[in-house]
Amino acid sequence: MMSSYAIEARLQIHDNLNSEEFILRLVTAGAYRWGIVCEIVGKAIERAVGARADALTTDHFIESWTSKTGMNALATPFTHENFETVFRKDKPFQASIGE
């Protein structure tokens, strides 16, 4: 899906976005809800196109997610080392820090 959207927008895909880890981070960012994952991908591509970028990067996904959640860009499923335990699918868009 990400590749199809990027091709349509005439964007390259940065190499690190083709990894299993990134896909797991993306799915975690969408709380395993495919409609939300699609929305995050679409918004990331919009940001890349709006910035006149040549390639879709992790930064576009971070911007997409933080604009949706209002959370700090330093603590996202795309940046946090323990993203799988901090961002749980039963609590979308809430960090579990301190629980």
Side-chain angles (χ1 to χ4, degrees):
M1 172 191 64
M2 178 177 58
S3 297
S4 296
Y5 286 176
I7 288 169
E8 188 68 29
R10 299 176 193 226
L11 290 169
Q12 298 293 318
I13 298 177
H14 194 273
D15 288 341
N16 70 333
L17 301 186
N18 289 317
S19 70
E20 262 186 65
E21 180 180 345
F22 178 79
I23 299 302
L24 182 55
R25 288 175 180 274
L26 174 59
V27 171
T28 300
Y32 288 77
R33 290 162 173 86
W34 300 112
I36 297 171
V37 171
C38 291
E39 180 184 348
I40 292 168
V41 170
K43 298 256 185 229
I45 289 174
E46 284 177 15
R47 290 185 176 278
V49 169
R52 298 179 191 248
D54 293 329
L56 185 62
T57 67
T58 305
D59 288 340
H60 298 120
F61 285 92
I62 293 168
E63 291 169 9
S64 172
W65 196 81
T66 57
S67 71
K68 181 171 185 57
T69 64
M71 293 186 72
N72 187 308
L74 298 175
T76 75
F78 302 105
T79 56
H80 200 284
E81 184 176 307
N82 297 315
F83 68 96
E84 290 179 282
T85 55
V86 173
F87 300 96
R88 300 185 339 228
K89 59 184 166 185
D90 61 326
K91 294 188 177 188
F93 315 121
Q94 296 176 11
S96 304
I97 300 169
E99 284 186 18

